Amino acid sequence: MNAFMLDGVAVPFEGGDTLMAAATRAGQHVPHLCWHPRLGQSGACRLCTVRVDGHLAAACTTRATPGLVVENRTAELDNKRRLLVQLLFIEGNHFCPSCEKSGACRLQASAYQVGMHGPEFEEFYPHRPVDASHPDMWLDLNRCILCKLCVRASREIDGKDVFAIGGHGIASHLIVNSPSGLLGDSAFEASDFAAEVCPVGAILPKRRGFAVPIGQRPFDVAPLPAGPSLPTDTDDDTR
Ligand code: SF4
Ligand code: FES
């Protein structure tokens, strides 16, 4: 049996598996934001960064090979993950208490998972649009973390190519493939897989609020597993 070691546990894999795919199938959790088992690789968020035979690598894009020794939930790696999540929070406009996705948001759940107590950096508060042109769905770019899940879902599952990433660096942003650039003018439908795959509250259905009460939502009921050593209030969050 082909297997690699993940935090001391033998994880079997099949030919072509990434570390993430094999670990997930084996019931092991590697933190992630931009990976989805139905979609191709992206490597956009780097939250899944692990140490593979001592070297940093993204678990969602690294092929499994026999005998690899992979470190995943170490204090060092979770500290790096906490820094990444903090940077995502300050880069956009994330107001969890007023967001319909609260409790079902993977960014919020990841922040709890890695022990984020606050952003620790000055927020950018960028000016970003809300696109309410579609009859059934909202697109709120204030919450977009550029994970590309909707881009891949629309292309690979829906066969539509509704979304793409435009711009470079800090100016990177999600764009809609339509004559006006608006969602309501595109081929997007509420039944698309791209409509349900957003890990944050950037793509949400209209006319549906608090259908599931706060406290009973997926990550309220089953939080993402915490690592071995959550930071204390006195730890330096920037390490
Ligand atoms: Fe990811 Fe959602 Fe932004 Fe699409 S809209 S790139 S799924 S965060
Ligand atoms: Fe691997 Fe995002 S889950 S880079």
Side-chain angles (χ1 to χ4, degrees):
M1 179 183 73
N2 283 329
F4 62 89
M5 298 302 290
L6 182 74
D7 287 344
V9 176
V11 173
F13 67 89
E14 298 164 6
D17 268 351
T18 61
L19 298 175
M20 178 71 83
T24 303
R25 196 186 309 120
Q28 301 294 320
H29 174 79
V30 180
H32 60 273
L33 285 169
C34 75
W35 178 78
H36 192 287
R38 292 183 64 190
L39 300 174
Q41 300 171 12
S42 161
C45 76
R46 317 311 284 185
L47 204 70
C48 70
T49 298
V50 290
R51 279 201 182 274
V52 181
D53 288 346
H55 301 286
L56 295 174
C60 71
T61 59
T62 302
R63 284 280 172 92
T65 55
L68 287 179
V69 176
V70 182
E71 295 170 62
N72 173 30
R73 300 307 303 276
T74 64
E76 179 229 2
L77 290 168
D78 270 4
N79 283 339
K80 292 183 188 300
R81 291 178 178 125
R82 190 165 65 255
L83 178 60
L84 278 174
V85 172
Q86 286 170 325
L87 294 176
L88 286 172
F89 266 90
I90 63 159
E91 192 181 75
N93 297 308
H94 300 279
F95 305 106
C96 298
S98 62
C99 181
E100 168 58 24
K101 192 80 173 189
S102 186
C105 170
R106 185 167 277 274
L107 179 65
Q108 182 192 47
S110 299
Y112 285 126
Q113 175 183 38
V114 295
M116 180 179 139
H117 293 164
E120 304 294 336
F121 303 101
E122 197 168 339
E123 286 92 345
F124 287 11
Y125 293 133
H127 291 286
R128 293 193 192 159
V130 176
D131 180 347
S133 61
H134 195 280
D136 301 315
M137 302 295 295
W138 297 97
L139 176 60
D140 186 344
L141 295 184
N142 292 286
R143 300 166 180 160
C144 177
I145 58 171
L146 298 174
C147 70
K148 303 186 203 166
L149 280 170
C150 61
V151 177
R152 285 173 281 153
S154 184
R155 179 177 306 150
E156 298 170 21
I157 307 286
D158 304 326
K160 292 186 178 178
D161 254 336
V162 167
F163 299 104
I165 304 294
H168 297 285
I170 193 69
S172 298
H173 60 282
L174 189 71
I175 54 178
V176 174
N177 177 20
S178 74
S180 63
L182 294 173
L183 197 61
D185 204 15
S186 75
F188 191 60
E189 293 172 279
S191 57
D192 288 355
F193 186 52
E196 65 180 74
V197 79
C198 183
V200 295
I203 301 177
L204 284 174
K206 288 183 172 178
R207 298 178 298 281
R208 198 169 78 209
F210 297 95
V212 178
I214 297 283
Q216 298 175 26
R217 298 177 174 195
F219 293 123
D220 297 332
V221 176
L224 294 174
S229 56
L230 282 179
T232 66
D233 284 335
T234 53
D235 281 347
D236 176 1
D237 272 356
T238 61
R239 289 170 304 170

